[in-house]
Amino acid sequence: MEIRTTALARARHMLESQGRFPGGALPGDISDSWLRSLHLGIDPLARHEKLILSDTEFKLTQDHHADLVRFARPELELLFDQIAGSNFMIALGSPEGVVLETLVDTEFAESDAGKAVVPASVWTEELRGTNALGLCISTRRPAQVYGGEHFLRAHSDVSCISAPIFDGRGGLAGILDASSRSTVRQQHTAALVQMSASNIENCLIRSAHDRRIVLQFHPRPEYLGTLSVGMLVLEDDFSVHAVNRKGEMFLAGIRNLIGTSFDSIFEQRFEDVALRLAQGETLRVRDRMGSAVSVRCVANRASFALAVRLFSAANPQQARRSETPAPEIRNLFRDVVIEDEELIRRLRPLPKVATVGQSIFIQGETGTGKEIIARLAHAASGRSGPFVSVDARTLGPDAEAALLGRPKGAPGLIEQAAHGTLCIDEVSALGHSAQATLLHVLDHGSFRHPADGREVRCPVLFVSTATVSLTAEVAASRLLPALRYRIEGFSILLPPLRDRSDLDALARRFVRAQGEGFDIDPSALTLLARHDWPGNLHELRSIIANAVIQASGPKLRAENFAPFLPISHSPQQSIQACPQCSGVPWKESQCRVIRDAVRQHGGIAQAARTLGISRTTIYKHLLAES
């Protein structure tokens, strides 16, 4: 290290004093970059300029690379947490060298480097000489530039590690960079940066090709679903449209992969294995170089369409019998109340999604009906197996055993849900080990039983529910990014009750569920509409049950809800209960409702009609004060 540092110091001295440097004094990529910087006429002693795009230019750049930013953000956050130490930053760059996003620790942010590497800044070799982000763009390879290896002396107090992100078609999609104030070579950090870049690349390829067949392959089947997997994207004629870097490595003996047919790469014709792949099987095939790989199809729109098409061709009579229209949302939900048009719009694709088996994620506040929607998805799927539901927070450290089963015990949750639906609430509460196990099962449709190692096939419709977004859970390092992309297939955000337009219909349904003959007065519905409903449907159901107990007859009126539904008033409109009701909370609440109704309607008669009570009752609450 001392010899190399001395060589670097001599090279820098010659560079800055003579405009040249000795060959062999620097790593090859750094030497080539210094030569390019010299040819560009960059002065190594110049102060770096603040090369920042205008707001308009940066907004256009961000919009152009929106998918890159979306898939990279959780990886940036995970990488930021993984890198040990302090005084560092993580940056995402565009193929043009524009910094799109940064995550910076406080110490680094206060340094000159932290103030220079900011969103909208440009870091190409042409503008800043040798730097990791610019070098990565020039070479299309991972780059490490430490301290004085930067061409500009002004950048010699920082070390940078960059890795390219490709688009699968040979083009550069972006750059991932980690910078720190340390000049010690950080191979562990370099490995983490490259792993994160590979994950972003795979996510981009999957997302961009939802309407094309995407194949995953690896020489070892247990590595399917990991960062080491190769990916091939096929055109309609089954020629290669895109391939990730791992795929290129596995098929290194086959030149010009883009445009090459599947049959030219592998010994089997795609038509001979297409149906089995589209239906979720993992197959063992050999490439033209004689190497065996395990292949499976990524579950997306194209694979579902292919499975339906091939199955229909192979089984025309059965296909005709099954050609029934997808159930309408109102028919599917005939046993529940959904009359809010926005919610209906969000749920309309659910029957089709459940039928094809795509993973479903349901987000909503506590009490918004997440499990109800999960059960209806199960019903729509037509699966023969059971609906198995569990709150991950109840599983504790034994979560993995609960999922797979114990060596000598009952089947695990996954096996119990085979051919049915597995619904996990708050999936991020599972430990990372259990999450990795779940990811493996969802990707393979099977697992090795912990008792005897036998392979257990367990095709399931997977539904996850949560009160917060999966993005937030990944950002907090509670959820593995790879699992997030696997379970966030079809996402539904359930609105809170306060934002739904069908509160009246829901209230009527819950009231009638209390028994035959029960009904609710319009005055009570008016009162219910004023409440904020922090407990959502759970709270509405509970308050109605309590109101039924208070009611003297089958028709619920506003006064029956008053003890359980305090009305909040602004200070200037605060209404006091009459003396005879003071001191008894439920009487005070009821009294305030009555006195408020008189104030709002400007008279006793109208208030009596609205509340559904006699004028005599109202007089009692008004006259008791005088």
Side-chain angles (χ1 to χ4, degrees), residues 209-215 232-236 238 270 277-278 297-298 300-304 306-307 309:
H209 301 104
D210 191 47
R211 297 184 183 276
R212 289 188 173 94
I213 297 297
V214 180
L215 301 177
L232 285 176
V233 180
L234 303 184
E235 295 276 14
D236 291 340
F238 308 135
F270 187 77
L277 286 172
C297 198
V298 170
N300 62 8
R301 294 188 189 184
S303 66
F304 295 146
L306 179 65
R309 186 169 72 248

Side-chain angles (χ1 to χ4, degrees), residues 365-407:
E365 294 179 7
T366 299
T368 49
K370 297 186 290 294
E371 184 169 333
I372 293 174
I373 302 303
R375 288 183 178 277
L376 292 169
H378 170 68
S381 72
R383 290 174 175 253
S384 59
F387 177 87
V388 176
S389 178
V390 64
D391 186 333
R393 294 169 295 189
T394 67
L395 299 181
D398 252 2
E400 198 165 356
L403 291 173
L404 300 183
R406 292 170 175 79

Side-chain angles (χ1 to χ4, degrees), residues 31 33 43 97 134 138 269 278 293 315 319 331 368 374 508 512 519 548 563 591 625:
S31 179
S33 181
D43 180 358
S138 295
R269 294 190 322 139
V293 295
N315 305 275
N331 291 336
T368 49
R508 288 192 178 96
R512 289 165 188 162
D519 201 358
V548 167
C591 183
E625 193 171 17

Side-chain angles (χ1 to χ4, degrees), residues 48 50 52 108-118:
H48 62 82
K50 289 189 175 181
I52 306 287
F108 192 92
E110 296 301 319
S111 68
D112 289 343
K115 295 173 182 176
V117 187
V118 295

Side-chain angles (χ1 to χ4, degrees), residues 53-73:
L53 297 184
S54 68
D55 290 345
T56 301
E57 291 172 324
F58 186 49
K59 180 65 167 62
L60 290 172
T61 301
Q62 284 180 309
D63 291 345
H64 183 67
H65 298 291
D67 284 344
L68 171 65
V69 173
R70 178 163 62 96
F71 286 113
R73 188 172 286 122

Side-chain angles (χ1 to χ4, degrees), residues 135-364:
L135 179 56
C136 192
I137 293 173
S138 295
T139 63
R140 297 163 60 85
R141 295 192 301 270
Q144 300 181 40
V145 181
Y146 290 89
E149 291 177 347
H150 285 87
F151 189 78
L152 293 180
R153 174 175 282 275
H155 298 325
S156 61
D157 63 340
V158 67
S159 297
C160 309
I161 298 170
S162 291
I165 303 165
F166 291 98
D167 63 5
R169 298 271 299 164
L172 198 60
I175 307 291
L176 190 60
D177 179 271
S179 299
S180 73
R181 299 293 298 280
S182 171
T183 57
V184 177
R185 295 198 173 266
Q186 305 167 50
Q187 298 310 319
H188 176 66
T189 298
L192 290 174
V193 171
Q194 291 181 48
M195 287 173 59
S196 293
S198 294
N199 202 24
I200 296 168
E201 178 178 312
N202 291 349
C203 291
L204 280 171
I205 291 174
R206 286 184 60 162
S207 172
H209 301 104
D210 191 47
R211 297 184 183 276
R212 289 188 173 94
I213 297 297
V214 180
L215 301 177
Q216 294 181 331
F217 65 101
H218 196 282
R220 297 174 61 179
E222 64 268 28
Y223 281 84
L224 291 174
T226 69
L227 293 178
S228 301
V229 74
M231 297 179 71
L232 285 176
V233 180
L234 303 184
E235 295 276 14
D236 291 340
D237 62 357
F238 308 135
S239 63
V240 176
H241 174 81
V243 57
N244 72 344
R245 279 176 291 173
K246 285 292 185 181
E248 291 176 335
M249 289 172 54
F250 294 143
L251 302 173
I254 301 172
R255 302 179 63 184
N256 303 319
L257 282 170
I258 303 297
T260 300
S261 68
F262 180 94
D263 305 352
S264 298
I265 299 172
F266 299 101
E267 293 181 351
Q268 289 89 341
R269 294 190 322 139
F270 187 77
E271 289 86 345
D272 295 337
V273 296
L275 179 56
R276 294 173 65 190
L277 286 172
Q279 289 182 325
E281 289 191 45
T282 298
L283 305 180
R284 195 73 175 166
V285 301
R286 288 191 177 275
D287 63 29
R288 293 295 179 181
M289 305 300 292
S291 300
V293 295
S294 293
V295 183
R296 71 176 180 198
C297 198
V298 170
N300 62 8
R301 294 188 189 184
S303 66
F304 295 146
L306 179 65
V308 171
R309 186 169 72 248
L310 294 177
F311 182 81
S312 299
N315 305 275
Q317 291 184 345
Q318 187 170 349
R320 278 194 295 273
R321 285 198 300 270
S322 64
E323 284 177 356
T324 56
E328 290 292 325
I329 195 75
R330 291 182 190 274
N331 291 336
L332 174 64
F333 294 162
R334 60 186 176 275
D335 295 325
V336 297
V337 172
I338 298 180
E339 295 185 13
D340 181 89
E341 291 301 324
E342 174 59 22
L343 182 55
I344 290 172
R345 184 191 66 77
R346 296 180 192 181
L347 293 173
R348 188 164 283 121
L350 184 64
K352 183 177 180 181
V353 170
T355 301
V356 299
Q358 186 175 1
S359 294
I360 298 168
F361 172 62
I362 307 170
Q363 180 187 343

Side-chain angles (χ1 to χ4, degrees), residues 26 35 121 272 334 418 450 520 525:
L26 301 171
L35 286 173
S121 60
D272 295 337
R334 60 186 176 275
I520 186 167
L525 294 175

Side-chain angles (χ1 to χ4, degrees), residues 68-81 101 103 196 199-200 203 470-477 479-482 484-485:
L68 171 65
V69 173
R70 178 163 62 96
F71 286 113
R73 188 172 286 122
E75 286 297 326
L76 264 67
E77 293 165 348
L78 182 61
L79 185 59
F80 188 82
D81 290 337
E101 292 250 324
L103 281 178
S196 293
N199 202 24
I200 296 168
C203 291
L470 296 183
T471 301
E473 296 294 69
V474 170
S477 298
L479 184 70
L480 295 176
R484 173 239 177 136
Y485 298 128

